[in-house]
Amino acid sequence: MWDKFEDKTDIQMRKNLQEKAILSQIAILLTQEKLIDPEEQMRFLACLKEED
């Protein structure tokens, strides 16, 4: 029973990490395309880190 719980927890943790990685890449791309400024990018990345 605990194995299934741990598996679901691991899967959710991996999913969250992948989601944050994708969001970080989007922020970088938006900055490169000059759609947001570097300050906004840093605030966005800080918000992602706060969720940890």
Side-chain angles (χ1 to χ4, degrees), residues 26-40:
I26 290 170
I28 291 167
L29 179 63
L30 289 172
T31 304
Q32 289 173 346
E33 294 296 320
K34 309 233 185 283
L35 297 172
I36 63 173
D37 61 40
E39 243 178 67
E40 289 174 308

Side-chain angles (χ1 to χ4, degrees), residues 16-30:
N16 288 344
L17 285 173
Q18 288 173 339
E19 197 174 274
K20 286 181 181 187
I22 291 168
L23 290 171
S24 296
Q25 290 298 315
I26 290 170
I28 291 167
L29 179 63
L30 289 172

Side-chain angles (χ1 to χ4, degrees), residues 20 23 40-52:
K20 286 181 181 187
L23 290 171
E40 289 174 308
Q41 178 191 10
M42 289 297 121
R43 283 195 298 266
F44 180 78
L45 295 174
C47 288
L48 285 178
K49 189 170 182 164
E50 283 178 7
E51 290 179 4
D52 286 343

Side-chain angles (χ1 to χ4, degrees), residues 2-16:
W2 287 105
D3 290 337
K4 288 182 183 180
F5 178 75
E6 288 177 13
D7 288 343
K8 287 182 182 180
T9 303
D10 288 345
I11 290 169
Q12 187 62 40
M13 287 174 61
R14 272 188 258 127
K15 182 181 174 187
N16 288 344

